[in-house]
Amino acid sequence: MSHHPPDSPPAADPRTAVDPRTAVDHRATVDPEAAVDPEAPFLELLARGASADAYERPVLLARAEDATPARIAALEQARRLALGVRADMEGRRRREAELSALFETAHDLAGLRDLDAVLQAIVQRARSLLGTDVAYLTLNDPARGDTYMRVTEGSVAARFQQLRLGMGEGLGGLVAQTARPYVTDNYAQDVRFQHTRTIDAGVHDEGLVAILGVPLMLGPHVIGVLFAADRHARVFEREQIALLGSFAALAAAAIDTANLLTETRQALGELERANEIIRDRSGVIERASDVHDRLAELVLRGGGVHDVARAVSQVLDGTVEFTDADTAPGDAMEAVEASRADGHAVRHGADWVAAVAAGGELLGALVLRGHPGLDPVDQRTLERAAMVTSLLLLARRSASEAEQRVRGELLDDLLDARDHDPRLLRERAARLHADLDATHVVLAARLETTGADVEQEADARRRLGAAANHLAATRHGLAAARDGGTVLLLPLDTGDSASRVAAHVAERLSAAVHETVTVGASDPVDGLATGAEAASTAYAEARRCLDALRLLGRTGQGAAADDFGFLGLLLADSRDVAGFVGRTIGEVVTYDERRGTDLVRTLDAYFASGMSPARTKDTLHVHVNTVAQRLERIGRLLGADWQSPARALEIQLALRLHRLAAPEPR
């Protein structure tokens, strides 16, 4: 074997040697465009996360520059590959977001102990994940062989919330029977399902159109069904079905105690490690996590806006206050409007202001006092608190409006003599903390607006309705808008009277709406649940009293039939003659009965003699001084104004009614 010197090149192989005279310089024949990597522009687009349309630009530029067909073909191939990579990356990001949502769901469920709270959290999360109008969960009842509605979120129909589905009936019954998910974009027209009158009526009341149901499985057994539904036609994608199925698997595990404890320990361990990493990296991130946890806890336990303000005050080491939009100072309103327009917290002097808004409506603001230096993370914390505050306010408003509708519907049914199943009426009232077996008063209230335009009057009516509903809720009664005014049904406390209740309600409502409100009341009424016409009859009497007050110029007052003297006999639904006589001359009658005097006959003779003491003494055959003494005693019993025209008329009518009612002498 021969060896070459260390620095000498190896000998050329004669078989591969090239004749310098016939050699060709291949570099001179290479296309200069081929030296440019066709994948480079698409890699740059992938790196910066460009839209799909941007991937057409490199090809268009090449064509505009009259690139060679080979160059354009290479770019086309590179574009198809890049779009494929982009689609794969987007799918991975979407899956990562779904997995993150499922992890958060496991975290929420792990922190709950009560089964009802767990089920409620499951349904809330399902509705949030899919963005549907309604979510609900049914559980199997092995004893009855069907499924029943356990938890609903977003539902407004009582009949829907009480549904029971037999195995194989409807979409949910079929899911429970087959242990397979089912989906429909229009349930009412879908012939795959076994429709029943009860189920279809409940779905119709709720207004549901598109429904997705997935089974809750524990091993091979179906324990229930998790639903997500919309009130409009919608096609649920395969990924959404899979996502809800994954969530249903978590839900089923949460119901099972052993699995719940295991998952709780795992979630807590992972969260503890995550919190350690967060604390190590940044104290600012720790504060942000703290306020997130506090706000989430407040929302889950039903906290209010002031609870949010207190929690953020502790995190930001300052004083945070909630200010209503109507009560904010004029100079602060400029900052509130600026924050609302910008969508971020803004500085106002030494304070920071974050608008609390929902859509186009300004609900108020969160104000951080005396904290001019605020880093971006703390600023976002204040903004997040403002967003949570707006959600709480909207949730409270929605709940209040729903309760007002339910109260109004029950009162309308009572007044219109509908739905006279006493048991059902009592159950509906009990859910509103009202007792239809107690004694009540029906009150008719009306605004006395003068010179107001249509918009102002409508606003005043809305304020009157809100004030009446609030008063009814606090008094365990009912309220509804009716006949251009408002009607209330309030319980009558022991020792109270319809007149005092009417006066109190008129005063409260006038103060609440800052307008004059007149209120007429009925006599106390019993048997609202059993008497078909009891409420409507009492309402008619209250309306007559209301009209009488307005005709007599007593607007802004509240009164019942007893307050109108002899007119009360005409206004009241029941003619309480004895009550009128007792209220008018009862003191004189009682005095005669106890002392054996003759004041009633003297009073009758006095009016019969044209209110002349001289003619009265002739009729009674007594001395004129005796008549004067008797009239003085009558004045002390009836009051100083007993001889005024209005009182004299009532007294004379009472005397005649008393004479008619008295037994004839034998």
Side-chain angles (χ1 to χ4, degrees):
M1 178 178 292
S2 62
H3 296 278
H4 295 285
D7 296 330
S8 63
D13 188 345
R15 293 173 298 177
T16 59
V18 179
D19 187 350
R21 295 170 297 176
T22 60
V24 179
D25 187 356
H26 294 280
R27 292 175 296 175
T29 63
V30 175
D31 187 349
E33 293 181 350
V36 181
D37 186 359
E39 298 176 353
F42 298 106
L43 291 176
E44 181 182 354
L45 292 174
L46 286 172
R48 68 169 189 256
S51 65
D53 296 339
Y55 288 75
E56 298 289 344
R57 183 174 178 80
V59 179
L60 295 176
L61 286 176
R63 288 175 176 166
E65 294 172 355
D66 293 330
T68 64
R71 173 65 178 172
I72 294 175
L75 287 172
E76 289 280 4
Q77 177 65 16
R79 180 181 65 83
R80 287 192 293 270
L81 292 175
L83 287 175
V85 172
R86 179 180 179 273
D88 185 61
M89 292 173 62
E90 287 186 348
R92 291 176 182 273
R93 282 195 294 267
R94 183 169 59 251
R95 184 56 182 167
E96 181 181 354
E98 293 173 355
L99 291 176
S100 176
L102 289 172
F103 175 77
E104 292 176 2
T105 300
H107 172 207
D108 291 345
L109 296 177
L112 300 173
R113 295 293 187 271
D114 179 70
L115 179 58
D116 291 334
V118 170
L119 297 180
Q120 190 66 47
I122 290 170
V123 174
Q124 289 174 349
R125 180 67 70 180
R127 183 187 181 195
S128 174
L129 287 177
L130 271 70
T132 56
D133 296 326
V134 182
Y136 51 102
L137 184 146
T138 62
L139 292 181
N140 289 4
D141 187 346
R144 298 182 55 171
D146 62 3
T147 66
Y148 64 95
M149 196 75 67
R150 179 63 185 270
V151 180
T152 63
E153 179 69 18
S155 170
V156 296
R159 179 156 52 176
F160 178 78
Q161 297 166 10
Q162 299 169 3
L163 278 180
R164 298 188 73 98
L165 290 73
M167 289 297 177
E169 294 179 352
L171 186 147
L174 192 57
V175 173
Q177 184 183 50
T178 63
R180 295 173 54 192
Y182 278 87
V183 62
T184 177
D185 58 355
N186 193 324
Y187 175 78
Q189 299 179 6
D190 201 324
V191 298
R192 293 177 299 162
F193 308 114
Q194 180 182 343
H195 291 267
T196 67
R197 181 178 300 177
T198 302
I199 297 175
D200 288 354
V203 172
H204 178 269
D205 287 355
E206 193 62 54
L208 299 183
V209 178
I211 305 176
L212 165 62
V214 296
L216 272 65
M217 305 289 295
L218 279 180
H221 304 292
V222 179
I223 63 171
V225 181
L226 181 61
F227 298 86
D230 264 343
R231 296 189 174 94
H232 56 80
R234 168 179 175 173
V235 176
F236 289 95
E237 302 294 339
R238 185 181 301 275
E239 292 80 4
Q240 294 173 323
I241 299 174
L243 180 60
L244 190 62
S246 300
F247 185 77
L250 283 177
I255 296 174
D256 182 75
T257 304
N259 292 340
L260 174 61
L261 292 176
T262 302
E263 292 177 4
T264 299
R265 295 190 190 98
Q266 294 175 351
L268 288 177
E270 294 173 358
L271 287 175
E272 288 175 357
R273 291 191 294 273
N275 287 333
E276 290 175 0
I277 295 173
I278 292 174
R279 284 194 295 270
D280 293 340
R281 290 182 178 178
S282 173
V284 174
I285 297 178
E286 181 180 353
R287 291 201 305 273
S289 176
D290 184 30
V291 73
H292 178 272
D293 291 342
R294 289 171 183 254
L295 295 179
E297 181 184 359
L298 285 174
V299 172
L300 287 176
R301 65 180 177 85
V305 294
H306 298 292
D307 296 322
V308 173
R310 280 194 296 270
V312 179
S313 297
Q314 296 173 2
V315 174
L316 298 183
D317 194 20
T319 301
V320 178
E321 299 174 353
F322 172 75
T323 303
D324 286 318
D326 298 333
T327 60
D331 58 338
M333 279 305 298
E334 296 181 4
V336 174
E337 290 293 348
S339 173
R340 175 188 182 186
D342 187 48
H344 298 287
V346 299
R347 184 172 173 178
H348 177 63
D351 304 333
W352 281 83
V353 177
V356 176
E361 182 181 2
L362 180 64
L363 305 175
L366 286 183
V367 182
L368 176 60
R369 302 289 186 190
H371 208 309
L374 199 64
D375 61 52
V377 174
D378 287 343
Q379 181 179 340
R380 287 194 294 272
T381 296
L382 184 61
E383 295 165 358
R384 183 183 301 172
M387 181 183 65
V388 171
T389 301
S390 68
L391 293 176
L392 289 176
L393 289 174
L394 289 177
R396 181 181 301 174
R397 176 191 295 178
S398 299
S400 176
E401 290 174 351
E403 182 176 346
Q404 290 176 14
R405 286 195 298 271
V406 173
R407 290 181 183 277
E409 290 169 359
L410 176 56
L411 183 52
D412 284 337
D413 288 346
L414 290 172
L415 294 176
D416 294 337
R418 294 195 300 259
D419 195 2
H420 279 103
D421 183 347
R423 180 187 60 80
L424 182 58
L425 288 173
R426 289 189 180 98
E427 289 178 357
R428 293 172 61 188
R431 286 195 289 269
L432 299 171
H433 306 290
D435 181 9
L436 295 184
D437 293 321
T439 301
H440 285 75
V441 174
V442 178
L443 303 107
R446 183 178 291 274
L447 279 168
E448 305 296 343
T449 54
T450 56
D453 59 27
V454 175
E455 185 176 349
Q456 290 175 336
E457 183 175 354
D459 182 63
R461 289 179 186 272
R462 283 193 294 269
R463 296 200 307 272
L464 175 61
N469 276 288
H470 176 72
L471 180 61
T474 56
R475 292 282 302 271
H476 304 297
L478 306 173
R482 198 174 185 87
D483 299 328
T486 299
V487 57
L488 297 94
L489 180 68
L490 299 180
L492 186 65
D493 296 333
T494 303
D496 207 351
S497 68
S499 299
R500 285 194 291 270
V501 172
H504 174 71
V505 170
E507 180 181 357
R508 285 281 301 273
L509 295 182
S510 297
V513 302
H514 306 293
E515 298 281 355
T516 301
V517 179
T518 307
V519 177
S522 71
D523 282 341
V525 58
D526 296 309
L528 290 171
T530 56
E533 305 292 338
S536 59
T537 302
Y539 174 61
E541 179 181 340
R543 284 289 305 277
R544 291 194 293 270
C545 291
L546 171 62
D547 294 339
L549 284 171
R550 303 178 75 193
L551 288 172
L552 295 173
R554 294 170 58 184
T555 57
Q557 299 181 22
D562 292 348
D563 299 312
F564 293 97
F566 73 92
L567 285 177
L569 294 176
L570 304 177
L571 298 173
D573 182 68
S574 59
R575 305 292 186 257
D576 186 11
V577 175
F580 170 72
V581 172
R583 290 190 299 273
T584 308
I585 61 172
E587 295 287 340
V588 177
V589 174
T590 302
Y591 191 89
D592 278 353
E593 292 175 351
R594 290 180 178 176
R595 299 176 179 264
T597 55
D598 212 6
L599 297 184
V600 173
R601 195 163 71 91
T602 301
L603 191 57
D604 200 4
Y606 178 68
F607 284 117
S609 302
M611 301 176 71
S612 169
R615 290 197 292 272
T616 302
K617 61 96 175 174
D618 293 336
T619 301
L620 298 176
H621 304 291
V622 296
H623 195 275
V624 69
N625 290 341
T626 302
V627 174
Q629 292 172 0
R630 291 181 180 179
L631 294 178
E632 180 182 1
R633 172 63 64 183
I634 289 171
R636 287 199 294 269
L637 293 172
L638 298 182
D641 64 339
W642 71 278
Q643 297 189 69
S644 65
R647 287 292 307 280
L649 178 60
E650 291 185 1
I651 293 171
Q652 291 179 70
L653 178 59
L655 287 169
R656 294 192 179 190
L657 293 174
H658 176 67
R659 192 163 56 247
L660 291 173
E664 297 181 1
R666 296 182 180 179

